[in-house]
Amino acid sequence: IFHLFLHTRKKMGLLLLLIICQCAINGIKTHSVSKPSIILLMADDLGIGDLGCYGNRTLRTPNIDRLAEEGVTLTQHIAASPLCTPSRAAFLTGRYPIRSGMAAFSRVGVFLFSASSGGLSSEEITFSKLLKQKGYATALIGKWHLGMNCESSNDFCHHPLSHGFDYFYGLPVTNFRDCKPGQGSVFLKGVQKDLVIPIQIAGIALVSLTIVQYIGLLKVPFQALGYFLLIITISLVVLIFFFYHFRHLNCFLMRDHQIIQQPLSYENLTQRLTKEAMQFIGRNTDTPFLLVLSYLHVHTALYASENFKGKSKHGLYGDAVEEMDWSVGQILDVLEKHNLSDKTLVYFTSDQGAHVEEISSSGEVHGGYNGIYKGGKSTNWEGGIRVPGLLRWPGVVQAGASIDEPTSNMDIFPTIVKLADAQLPSDRIIDGHDLLPLLQGKVTRSEHEFLFHYCNAYLNAVRWHPGNSESVWKVFFFTPNFSPEDSNGCYDSHVCFCHGGFITRHDPPLVFDLSRDPEEKVPLTPETESRFHEVLRAVHQAVDNHTRSLHAVPNQLSWDNLLWKPWLQLCCSSLFQSCYCDYESGGSSLQVHLG
C-alpha cells in the first residue's frame, strides 16, 4: 500500500507539473498574440504590379517579396480612397473619409500647403491613440499629409503628436515635384490655366473703366480705380511670392514640433528615414511599439541615392522602388537582430495605386505599373484602389498563403486595436473588420459584403461580394473621362476629377463581375447577365443603408481649409531669410542662409 501511495503521488506530481507547464505555454502564446509590436509600412503611389510577389519580373524587390513568402498576400486589398489624404485618414481611423470630413466636394482632394487650416480632426480616434493608451511606444516616420495647424502657427492641432504618436520625423505635407529643383511643377499648368482668364478679365475691366472715365461716359472715382489696381497688384505679388518660395514654405523636414531642415534635402533621405526607424525599434526592444514608416517613395519628385541610381531596369522610378525595398530589408534585419521577428506583425501596402499620368518633362515614365488593372491614382477603377497587402507574423499568420477576398486598408485599425487588447470605439461606426481570423485561416470569407468607393465626397462605385457566391460585383454610378479618350488616364489634367464635365454618369449604372473580368473591360447588361437587376437592387439598398449611417461633419477640405494662410506658416528662420535652416547636414549647429 505504501509503495502504491508513493507511485500514485509521483504520477500526480508529474501530471500537475505538465498542467502548470501547459498553462505557462498557453499564457506566453496568449500574451504574444495579444500584444505584439506592430510595424506598418506604407508606400506612396506604388502600383500593385511593381512588386515581384504580385507578378513583376523586372523590378528587384526581394525584401518585400520575403514578406509574402513568410506571411499572407492579399490579392484584393482595397484602398478606401484613390488619393493620399483621404486614404491615409481612413487607414488611421478605420472609417470612410466621408465620415471624418476628409473627403472634398471641390476639385482638390488633398492638402497642398503646409499652412492650410484643415486636417484630421481631434474628434477622430486613431489606432495610434488607442495603442498609446495601452502602453505602446508610438512613432510616425515619413509622410503625414493630414494637416498641421488650425488657428496659429504653433497650435499643432492636426500634428501627428496630437493623434497618438510619441515621436514624429518626417514631412508634414507630401513630396511634390516642386520640392526638387529641376523636376518641374505640379501647379504651373493649373495656375496658368486657371489664372490666365481671371487676369485677362481684370485687365480688360481696368482698361475699359479707364477709357470710359477718360471719354466721360461714366464717372468712376480715381480712388476706386486705385483701390482696384492695388488689390490686383497685391494679389499677384502674394501669388508670385508664394510659388517662387513654394519649396521653402511647403517642403521641409520636422522632428516632433521642430523644423530641422527647410527646404528638404533629398540627399540620402531614404537612408535617414530608415535610420530613424531602426533607432526607434532599438529604443523599444523591451516594450511593445507601433511604428508607422510612411515612405516618400514613389511619389514624384522621384529620387534615389547613389547606391541605387541607374541600377534598375525602369529608370529613376525603378531605382526608387528598389531603394525602398532595401529599406524594408533593413527593418526586417533589425527585428531579427533584436529577436523581435516572432513578436512583431509587419504590414506593407500603398496608399493608392500608381499615378499612371506621371511623365517627366523629358518624357520618362515616372509613374508605376498597376498590372492588368485599369486606371490608376485618383480613379476607382481597380488600378486606382487595388493595392499591395502583405502581412507577416511568424507562428501566428499563415506563411506563403494568398487570400483573394475583398479587404480594405481600413481593416488595419480594428485588427491592431484588438491585438493591443484595446477597446474599439463604441460611439462611432468603424468600417474596417478584424483581419486576424482570415489571416490565420479560421475563416475563409471576408466580412466585407459591401465596400463603398468614393471619388472625393462623391459615391462613385460599390463592390458587392454576396455570401452565397464567388462573384464580386462592382457597380459604377459614374466614370472619369479619360484624356486622350483612348488612353488609360487623365493625362491632360494630370489627375482625374470627380464631378461636372470631368465625368460621365451612367443610368443604368455600369456593372462588372470582377471574378470573371478583373480588368473591367466589358460592362454587363440584362441580356448578358441574368442577375443584372438583382445586383442593382442589392447595391441600391446597401447605398441607402450606408447613406443613412452618415452624419454631417465639418468639411476639412473646403476651399477655406485648403487655402494657404500666411499666419499658419511654419518657418525655422524668417520669411526674409527665405525660411532656411539645416540641422540635419550641419550636426548640432544651425546653418542659416542670408543670401
Side-chain angles (χ1 to χ4, degrees), residues 101-139:
M102 296 292 275
F105 288 91
S106 63
R107 188 189 302 184
V108 179
V110 301
F111 294 114
L112 300 175
F113 313 127
S114 65
S116 297
S117 56
L120 188 61
S121 169
S122 58
E123 299 296 314
E124 290 301 312
I125 298 174
T126 61
F127 54 62
S128 43
K129 280 183 181 176
L130 296 177
L131 267 64
K132 183 176 180 178
Q133 291 170 6
K134 282 293 180 177
Y136 274 69
T138 57

Side-chain angles (χ1 to χ4, degrees), residues 139-183:
L140 174 76
I141 293 170
K143 170 177 168 173
W144 175 237
H145 210 183
L146 293 173
M148 189 55 47
N149 294 306
C150 290
E151 296 179 356
S152 69
S153 62
N154 60 359
D155 64 36
F156 298 114
C157 63
H158 303 306
H159 190 282
L161 268 60
S162 299
H163 283 290
F165 291 102
D166 299 319
Y167 182 68
F168 172 58
Y169 176 92
L171 273 69
V173 193
T174 188
N175 175 28
F176 294 108
R177 280 190 178 276
D178 305 68
C179 294
K180 191 179 181 189
Q183 291 296 305

Side-chain angles (χ1 to χ4, degrees), residues 177 182-185 359-364 366:
R177 280 190 178 276
Q183 291 296 305
S185 171
I359 309 292
S360 74
S361 55
S362 62
E364 183 180 352
H366 277 189

Side-chain angles (χ1 to χ4, degrees), residues 61-271:
T61 56
N63 296 298
I64 298 172
D65 297 345
R66 181 179 155 197
L67 291 174
E69 292 162 9
E70 299 175 0
V72 170
T73 302
L74 303 174
T75 59
Q76 201 178 158
H77 196 48
I78 307 301
S81 170
L83 285 175
C84 306
T85 293
S87 176
R88 290 162 185 269
F91 172 63
L92 279 170
T93 63
R95 290 152 51 82
Y96 289 110
I98 190 74
R99 298 193 192 279
S100 58
M102 296 292 275
F105 288 91
S106 63
R107 188 189 302 184
V108 179
V110 301
F111 294 114
L112 300 175
F113 313 127
S114 65
S116 297
S117 56
L120 188 61
S121 169
S122 58
E123 299 296 314
E124 290 301 312
I125 298 174
T126 61
F127 54 62
S128 43
K129 280 183 181 176
L130 296 177
L131 267 64
K132 183 176 180 178
Q133 291 170 6
K134 282 293 180 177
Y136 274 69
T138 57
L140 174 76
I141 293 170
K143 170 177 168 173
W144 175 237
H145 210 183
L146 293 173
M148 189 55 47
N149 294 306
C150 290
E151 296 179 356
S152 69
S153 62
N154 60 359
D155 64 36
F156 298 114
C157 63
H158 303 306
H159 190 282
L161 268 60
S162 299
H163 283 290
F165 291 102
D166 299 319
Y167 182 68
F168 172 58
Y169 176 92
L171 273 69
V173 193
T174 188
N175 175 28
F176 294 108
R177 280 190 178 276
D178 305 68
C179 294
K180 191 179 181 189
Q183 291 296 305
S185 171
V186 296
F187 297 104
L188 197 56
K189 185 187 288 187
V191 168
Q192 289 173 338
K193 192 174 182 180
D194 292 338
L195 286 184
V196 165
I197 292 176
I199 289 172
Q200 287 175 341
I201 291 171
I204 291 169
L206 188 61
V207 171
S208 300
L209 286 171
T210 305
I211 291 172
V212 297
Q213 168 78 14
Y214 179 76
I215 63 177
L217 289 176
L218 182 68
K219 291 294 181 183
V220 180
F222 278 104
Q223 192 175 13
L225 283 173
Y227 281 134
F228 184 62
L229 183 61
L230 182 64
I231 290 169
I232 291 175
T233 303
I234 290 173
S235 299
L236 283 174
V237 167
V238 169
L239 197 65
I240 291 167
F241 171 84
F242 176 77
F243 283 105
Y244 183 77
H245 292 281
F246 181 91
R247 177 169 166 250
H248 291 256
L249 298 177
N250 297 285
C251 313
F252 51 85
L253 190 65
M254 297 184 77
R255 177 176 280 115
D256 293 334
H257 293 140
Q258 182 76 34
I259 296 176
I260 56 174
Q261 192 173 60
Q262 190 173 15
L264 170 75
S265 167
Y266 286 88
E267 185 176 359
N268 295 323
L269 181 54
T270 302
Q271 284 73 11

